[in-house]
Amino acid sequence: MIRRRMLAAVGLAMATLLPLTACGGGEDEAEGGPVELTVAVWSLASTPEFQTLFDAFHKANPDITIKPVDILAADYPTKVTTMLAGGDSTDVITMKTLADYVRFAGRGQLADVTDLATKPESAKLAGLDQYKQDGDKYYALPYRQDHWVLYYNKKMFDTAKLPYPENLTWDQYVEAAKKLTTGTGDKKVYGAYQHTWRSVVQAISAAQNGGDQLGGDYKFFAEQYRTALALQEAGATQDFGTAVTQKTGYASMFESQKTAMLPMGTWFIAKLLSEKKKGTTDVDWGIAPMPQRTGASGVTTFGAPTAFAVNKKAKHAAAAKKFVEFAASIEGAKAIAGIGVVPALKTDEVLQQYFALQGMPTDELSKKAFSPDKINPEMPVSDKTAKVDTVLNEEHQLIMTKQKSIDDAIKEMETRVKNEIG
């Protein structure tokens, strides 16, 4: 109840700041002159990619000034839903998740940008296909694409006299984690840290087994859960219950050198580079491809794109479209690559720039991890996604805390998705 009141207060305050339109968007821009473009983002102060893009765009287009509409990350989906439903004229809306995108596009709240998406240069955008709607329409363009890799502590591998984790199977990952685990109590260092998110087990399982997380048949989860529990039972990763209770942060575990390996998304690279530069961590790190199924060919992982969309009722539609195109272009890619953010456009030039960043590991293994053979979606999107996610997450927690067996929990997932969601 308190949270609802707080959200209502935030919504009222934001409503006084945001330009509204009662009669549909598309103010006539034919008159020319300076334009103030509004862009909805989250947590501006702690998400530097936004201001970096804004500055680069303004430099290339001096007549367009960008005014951020800054929203708390936790409130972002709810706030944007309310804004669009109320006819708000904020020009550009950042698509935080694919689920949000599908919902907004399905309601006809986003402008068609198919002409931008079908340009030859857009074909190189990672994650573009995930924004295809209505058969062949696009209502957003991705500007960044993160995927999961395996971070590792080089010094710990060297001390244990183990080769760096190249081409690991999941069984080999577990064995390496056991060998890398040292100490006890407060001085214990884990061979691996498996964060509490269900994606750590379920999304990678779906990606590497071709499983459908919305399909209602979840037997393909079983092997990955056996891997996760084997790590836990060997004491080679922090116990799931302890991690939840203590609200363990994956970044602090790796940066404080409490773990030798960490499966995590490429978004963590920018933070590592920043912390190393500030001197708050001295971890000697590298990245490797995610471990693979035994007998698998190539490197398969999972990830998710982030995109910009033009509000259907944008006040400055032409300028908004220009910004969306810029963010997905080589200029936009270079801008965010310069601060360690992974762009959707990964040309040789962009990759060279990325690996030239101060503190970025430049070994071939790290470069291989950065360009996997296949990146599957973290979670398929449909009108069922949110409800299925809730079911899968609840059963995930019961497995990891050993309140249910793997087989029983998977059967319950299948039953609940069939009966509760259909």
Side-chain angles (χ1 to χ4, degrees):
M1 192 70 178
I2 294 174
R3 177 176 174 81
R4 289 180 183 174
R5 289 173 183 165
M6 289 176 66
L7 286 174
V10 170
L12 182 61
M14 290 298 297
T16 65
L17 297 175
L18 303 178
L20 297 176
T21 178
C23 57
E27 180 181 279
D28 187 5
E29 298 175 41
E31 296 178 3
V35 170
E36 183 179 74
L37 193 68
T38 50
V39 181
V41 299
W42 61 87
S43 304
L44 184 67
S46 59
T47 315
E49 69 197 64
F50 293 131
Q51 194 60 54
T52 298
L53 276 173
F54 298 163
D55 291 344
F57 179 72
H58 178 63
K59 185 177 180 180
N61 301 272
D63 59 330
I64 304 176
T65 301
I66 293 182
K67 179 183 177 181
V69 177
D70 193 11
I71 304 169
L72 291 174
D75 297 338
Y76 189 80
T78 301
K79 179 59 187 173
V80 171
T81 298
T82 302
M83 288 164 58
L84 293 178
D88 187 273
S89 62
T90 298
D91 299 300
V92 176
I93 309 295
T94 312
M95 296 292 103
K96 195 169 191 286
T97 69
L98 282 165
D100 289 341
Y101 166 72
V102 170
R103 186 167 66 254
F104 300 146
R107 292 172 180 169
Q109 295 169 325
L110 306 178
D112 190 330
V113 293
T114 304
D115 58 330
L116 301 182
T118 52
K119 285 186 176 182
E121 52 268 33
S122 295
K124 298 179 181 179
L125 290 172
L128 178 64
D129 287 348
Q130 295 178 56
Y131 292 94
K132 185 181 289 187
Q133 295 288 304
D134 305 326
D136 58 356
K137 298 290 186 181
Y138 295 84
Y139 301 92
L141 280 188
Y143 68 93
R144 69 177 289 176
Q145 165 78 28
D146 288 293
H147 65 272
W148 280 56
V149 298
L150 182 65
Y151 294 83
Y152 68 97
N153 186 308
K154 292 183 177 181
K155 183 177 179 181
M156 290 182 185
F157 271 81
D158 292 340
T159 300
K161 297 182 179 179
L162 290 176
Y164 294 155
E166 182 174 9
N167 300 324
L168 289 184
T169 65
W170 286 105
D171 288 341
Q172 291 170 336
Y173 168 71
V174 172
E175 291 308 308
K178 291 177 183 177
K179 294 175 182 177
L180 289 159
T181 300
T182 60
T184 58
D186 292 340
K187 294 184 178 180
K188 184 166 186 177
V189 174
Y190 296 98
Y193 175 66
Q194 299 268 118
H195 200 43
T196 56
W197 300 330
R198 73 169 187 85
S199 288
V200 175
V201 177
Q202 295 180 4
I204 192 63
S205 179
Q208 295 184 349
N209 288 282
D212 180 4
Q213 294 178 78
L214 299 179
D217 181 354
Y218 301 114
K219 296 176 183 62
F220 62 88
F221 284 157
E223 187 61 36
Q224 204 65 33
Y225 272 114
R226 284 192 279 271
T227 296
L229 292 180
L231 277 171
Q232 193 167 270
E233 289 164 5
T237 189
Q238 188 178 58
D239 178 82
F240 182 90
T242 301
V244 171
T245 301
Q246 296 182 354
K247 297 182 179 179
T248 301
Y250 67 83
S252 62
M253 286 290 288
F254 192 75
E255 290 168 13
S256 64
Q257 304 192 64
K258 285 289 188 179
T259 184
M261 294 186 289
L262 172 72
M264 190 51 60
T266 49
W267 60 78
F268 186 38
I269 292 174
K271 186 176 188 303
L272 271 175
L273 294 177
S274 176
E275 298 302 327
K276 286 278 283 187
K277 189 175 182 179
K278 290 188 292 187
T280 54
T281 181
D282 62 353
V283 60
D284 183 12
W285 62 284
I287 55 174
M290 284 286 277
Q292 302 291 303
R293 294 169 52 244
T294 300
S297 59
V299 175
T300 299
T301 186
F302 71 93
T306 309
F308 287 117
V310 177
N311 184 354
K312 189 73 172 287
K313 295 189 175 183
K315 186 176 182 181
H316 302 293
K321 197 170 180 180
K322 195 171 186 178
F323 172 78
V324 169
E325 183 175 22
F326 176 88
S329 71
I330 186 68
E331 291 82 5
K334 286 180 178 179
I336 61 173
I339 61 169
V341 174
V342 183
L345 185 61
K346 298 187 185 78
T347 65
D348 290 342
E349 183 181 6
V350 170
L351 290 176
Q352 185 176 0
Q353 175 194 359
Y354 196 95
F355 279 93
L357 293 171
Q358 181 182 348
M360 185 70 191
T362 58
D363 58 277
E364 290 305 312
L365 183 56
S366 294
K367 292 179 180 179
K368 180 181 179 182
F370 207 73
S371 300
D373 298 300
K374 190 171 185 179
I375 302 174
N376 283 325
E378 181 170 0
M379 179 69 170
V381 290
S382 80
D383 56 355
K384 300 179 181 179
T385 297
K387 292 180 180 179
V388 173
D389 178 76
T390 297
V391 170
L392 298 186
N393 188 52
E394 289 173 356
E395 298 301 324
H396 167 70
Q397 294 180 45
L398 293 173
I399 293 174
M400 295 307 299
T401 54
K402 298 184 180 179
Q403 295 180 62
K404 276 187 181 179
S405 69
I406 295 173
D407 289 343
D408 286 347
I410 287 176
K411 288 179 182 177
E412 189 68 10
M413 291 177 197
E414 294 173 343
T415 299
R416 290 183 62 188
V417 168
K418 179 181 179 180
N419 295 337
E420 296 175 21
I421 302 168

